[in-house]
């Protein structure tokens, strides 16, 4: 097992990783920007080092600063969490060159799966269904040719993209020139790579993802699927496991496809294969996230497997602790991302000081968070301040439980998405389980109709 692990991140995921390391008896090193000096992960780690100013480019994204701390602190492993450097193959490669274990896939595997266009080819070669698409697009003529072949709408995506960035939907020829330019510019700014590719755009699909874990000995398991269809601007708001739209037969086929994808690139560690499920029940590989994900918690709740702990174990060279036959999914789990945002103002971020804070509790209730009374939410980073996850013996019990937990969750001093999530949990379409990625748009329409009726 590792001697000491540096956690190259901030917020709730850093706290989550530090707690997993503590359980394994591993000392931890936190890094923090000047804006995060009072963050909880700094207090919980064995040691902590300031790596720069608030600007993430000069702190959490600064490979020289992080590697300097790794050398000074004498760590033998780095956990990148999610976001920031977690999917940077060059960072993984630098760790390898310095004989420091990057707790994630190898730089070679990351390059193969991190480049979305290359990942598509790998999937095709390994009998994994993919959405009709292209390789890297070099000019607008290629886009027009593809659109003529598959029909509109189509979507441009950054090859190194994620989190909804570097994406543009195109519905006719007149939108191609502007969106091609904007997509390349955004991709360059967000990921340092302007390359984009094109896919047929599926209208109103469900967003399904499959959690996998693999070790260096070629052993793999999948832990069922998560439904992440409730999104805004391609960013997830609420996730649940299992998906209300997936039967056992489809679950098995998706899981086996995800394992084939992982084996194709000799993947080690925790990863997630994302799929789109259309209205006819057909599903297609979209991309692979080569890291731990925000929503891993719902999978932990129904599988009773500590995914972060297992990720650290297999990274240290230990064998995977489970075989596929050991995986028994039980019950249902729902996660609400609690953001310091105002949904009525187009989810405007609301940084500021938390004057009062009370977390909900009870059987089947879990909160992953890094905030506390008196904590000041900085304006420089993602606005998520926590995740509320609730388990139930079935979907309806999990839904009722998370609704009551949301009512107990108190955050005073800043606006949050807690009331917004309460409305979603009570929504008739959500209750039915028959929704897709257009849920939020339709949800607002239903809310407007309801308000009009009340006024009458």
């Amino acid at each position: 097992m590792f001697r000491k692990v540096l956690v190259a991140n901030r917020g709730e995921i850093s706290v989550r990783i530090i707690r997993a390391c503590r359980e394994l008896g591993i000392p931890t090193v936190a890094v923090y920007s000047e804006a995060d000096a009072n963050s909880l992960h700094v207090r919980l780690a064995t040691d902590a080092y300031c790596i720069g100013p608030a600007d993430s480019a000069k702190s959490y994204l600064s490979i020289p600063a992080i590697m300097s701390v790794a050398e000074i602190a004498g760590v033998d492993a780095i956990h990148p969490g999610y976001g920031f450097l977690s999917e940077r193959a060059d960072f993984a490669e630098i760790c390898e060159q310095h004989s420091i274990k990057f707790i994630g896939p190898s730089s070679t595997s990351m390059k193969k799966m991190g480049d979305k266009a290359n990942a598509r080819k790998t999937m095709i070669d390994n009998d994994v269904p993919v959405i009709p698409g292209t390789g890297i697009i070099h000019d607008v003529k290629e886009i027009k040719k593809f659109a003529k072949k598959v029909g509109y709408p189509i979507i441009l995506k950054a090859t190194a993209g994620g989190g909804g960035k570097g994406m543009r939907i195109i519905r006719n020829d007149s939108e191609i020139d502007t969106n091609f330019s904007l997509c390349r510019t955004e991709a360059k700014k967000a990921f340092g790579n302007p390359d984009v590719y094109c896919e047929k755009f599926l209208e109103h699909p469900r967003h399904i993802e499959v959690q996998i874990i693999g070790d260096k000995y070629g052993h793999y398991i999948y832990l069922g699927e998560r439904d992440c269809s409730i999104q805004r601007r391609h960013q997830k708001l609420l996730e649940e496991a299992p998906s209300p739209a997936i039967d056992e037969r489809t679950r098995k086929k998706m899981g086996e496809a995800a394992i084939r994808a992982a084996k194709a690139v000799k993947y080690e560690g925790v990863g997630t294969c994302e799929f789109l499920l259309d209205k006819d029940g057909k599903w297609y590989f979209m991309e692979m996230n080569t890291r731990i994900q925000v929503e891993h918690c719902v999978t932990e709740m129904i599988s009773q497997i500590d995914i972060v702990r297992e990720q650290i174990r297999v990274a240290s060279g230990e064998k995977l602790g489970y075989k596929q036959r050991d995986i028994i999914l039980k019950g249902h789990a729902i996660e609400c991302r609690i953001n310091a945002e105002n949904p009525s103002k187009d989810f405007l971020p609301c940084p500021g000081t938390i004057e009062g804070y009370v977390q909900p509790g009870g059987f089947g209730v879990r909160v992953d968070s890094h905030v506390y009374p008196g904590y000041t939410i900085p304006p420089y980073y993602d606005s998520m301040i926590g995740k509320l996850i609730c388990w139930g013996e079935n979907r309806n019990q999990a839904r009722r439980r998370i609704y009551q937990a949301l009512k107990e969750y108190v955050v005073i001093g800043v606006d949050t998405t807690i009331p917004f999530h309460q409305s979603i949990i009570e929504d008739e379409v959500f209750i039915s389980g028959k929704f897709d990625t257009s849920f939020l748009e339709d949800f607002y329409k239903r809310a407007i109709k309801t308000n009009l009726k009340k006024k009458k």
Side-chain angles (χ1 to χ4, degrees):
M1 188 49 71
F2 300 120
R3 296 189 315 275
K4 190 183 291 185
V5 172
L6 185 151
V7 183
N9 215 297
R10 64 177 300 278
E12 61 83 21
I13 190 59
S14 290
V15 172
R16 173 74 180 88
I17 294 163
I18 289 167
R19 285 173 172 159
C21 286
R22 279 179 162 185
E23 288 185 17
L24 289 166
I26 306 170
T28 53
V29 175
V31 293
Y32 62 95
S33 71
E34 291 172 357
D36 275 337
N38 294 315
S39 190
L40 186 59
H41 78 285
V42 175
R43 301 183 182 188
L44 293 181
T46 310
D47 297 300
Y49 294 81
C50 182
I51 52 171
D55 183 353
S56 58
K58 298 177 181 178
S59 51
Y60 298 109
L61 287 170
S62 173
I63 295 175
I66 289 171
M67 294 306 295
S68 293
V69 171
E71 186 176 347
I72 292 167
V75 307
D76 56 344
I78 294 178
H79 197 308
Y82 55 71
F84 293 130
L85 297 171
S86 63
E87 292 186 281
R88 287 274 297 273
D90 58 336
F91 180 51
E93 194 168 18
I94 289 169
C95 289
E96 292 162 4
Q97 291 168 355
H98 287 78
S99 299
I100 293 174
K101 179 62 179 177
F102 177 84
I103 300 180
S106 68
S107 58
T108 302
S109 295
M110 197 180 295
K111 286 174 185 175
K112 288 179 179 178
M113 296 306 282
D115 185 301
K116 311 306 187 223
N118 184 67
R120 280 180 51 83
K121 184 180 183 306
T122 302
M123 295 307 102
I124 293 168
D125 292 343
N126 288 274
D127 196 28
V128 178
V130 298
I131 301 168
T134 70
I136 294 171
I137 292 289
H138 301 95
D139 57 52
V140 295
K141 289 180 181 178
E142 293 179 68
I143 301 174
K144 290 178 180 178
K145 183 179 178 180
F146 176 69
K148 187 175 181 180
K149 178 182 177 182
V150 302
Y152 288 108
I154 58 176
I155 184 168
L156 284 174
K157 291 183 176 182
T159 62
K165 296 177 181 178
M167 299 172 69
R168 288 288 186 281
I169 298 169
I170 299 174
R171 298 187 180 277
N172 54 61
D173 282 357
S174 66
E175 296 179 357
I176 291 177
D177 286 5
T178 300
N179 281 298
F180 181 53
S181 177
L182 287 172
C183 196
R184 283 177 56 83
T185 300
E186 187 174 337
K188 175 68 176 176
K189 183 178 179 181
F191 312 111
N193 182 347
D195 289 341
V196 299
Y197 68 103
C198 208
E199 283 183 346
K200 172 67 179 172
F201 180 68
L202 299 184
E203 297 274 18
H204 309 311
R206 291 186 83 122
H207 185 137
I208 309 293
E209 55 189 39
V210 176
Q211 179 75 65
I212 65 105
I213 311 176
D215 64 21
K216 66 186 292 185
Y217 308 100
H219 304 137
Y220 294 88
I221 56 172
Y222 64 90
L223 303 178
E225 84 290 344
R226 301 184 283 258
D227 197 313
C228 307
S229 300
I230 298 181
Q231 308 174 1
R232 59 171 173 83
R233 296 190 289 272
H234 303 288
Q235 293 183 324
K236 301 160 191 172
L237 293 172
L238 180 152
E239 304 92 7
E240 59 181 307
S243 167
I246 300 294
D247 58 25
E248 192 57 45
R249 181 172 176 272
T250 305
R251 178 172 299 117
K252 187 172 185 291
K253 283 181 172 285
M254 275 189 172
E256 289 172 348
I259 295 300
R260 288 199 302 276
K263 285 184 175 180
V265 296
K266 298 180 180 178
Y267 193 91
E268 293 178 22
V270 166
T272 301
C273 284
E274 300 199 350
F275 299 91
L276 292 181
L277 178 74
D278 71 15
K279 58 185 178 182
D280 298 318
K282 294 180 180 178
W283 49 273
Y284 307 90
F285 173 85
M286 184 169 58
E287 63 186 30
M288 185 172 188
N289 290 304
T290 55
R291 53 174 167 77
I292 193 74
Q293 283 195 276
V294 177
E295 59 274 15
H296 72 276
C297 313
V298 288
T299 299
E300 289 184 328
M301 297 291 267
I302 65 167
S303 68
Q304 287 299 291
I305 291 175
D306 186 329
I307 294 172
V308 176
R309 183 178 184 275
E310 201 65 16
Q311 181 187 30
I312 296 167
R313 282 189 63 258
V314 298
S316 73
E318 294 185 11
K319 288 184 178 180
L320 194 58
Y322 306 87
K323 292 183 171 60
Q324 193 61 50
R325 64 173 178 267
D326 301 324
I327 308 305
I328 300 172
L329 305 180
K330 183 180 179 181
H332 200 96
I334 301 173
E335 173 181 291
C336 292
R337 299 191 186 193
I338 309 303
N339 295 340
E341 296 175 346
N342 188 330
S344 66
K345 295 181 179 178
D346 196 28
F347 295 93
L348 180 72
C350 300
T353 300
I354 295 177
E355 298 167 4
Y357 182 77
V358 180
Q359 291 186 175
F363 184 82
V365 178
R366 166 179 168 180
V367 177
D368 280 20
S369 180
H370 62 288
V371 305
Y372 51 84
Y375 175 76
T376 298
I377 303 166
Y380 312 104
Y381 314 112
D382 185 88
S383 60
M384 189 172 74
I385 59 172
K387 303 179 303 196
L388 171 63
I389 312 101
C390 289
W391 177 90
E393 292 183 3
N394 52 54
R395 186 173 187 267
N396 195 40
Q397 186 183 71
R399 187 189 65 80
R400 293 198 307 268
R401 186 166 283 160
I402 203 164
Y403 180 74
Q404 293 302 322
L406 285 163
K407 289 176 71 174
E408 289 182 24
Y409 209 152
V410 178
V411 182
I412 300 172
V414 296
D415 292 328
T416 74
T417 52
I418 291 173
F420 178 73
H421 280 297
Q422 286 178 304
S423 298
I424 289 178
I425 296 298
E426 281 194 303
D427 181 74
E428 58 186 16
V429 174
F430 178 77
I431 293 171
S432 74
K434 297 177 180 178
F435 53 82
D436 53 45
T437 52
S438 66
F439 172 85
L440 201 58
E441 180 184 343
D442 296 334
F443 173 75
Y444 281 128
K445 289 177 182 176
R446 289 192 296 277
I448 290 169
K449 285 183 181 178
T450 301
N451 290 333
L452 287 173
K453 287 180 181 178
K454 286 180 180 179
K455 288 179 180 178
K456 287 181 180 178

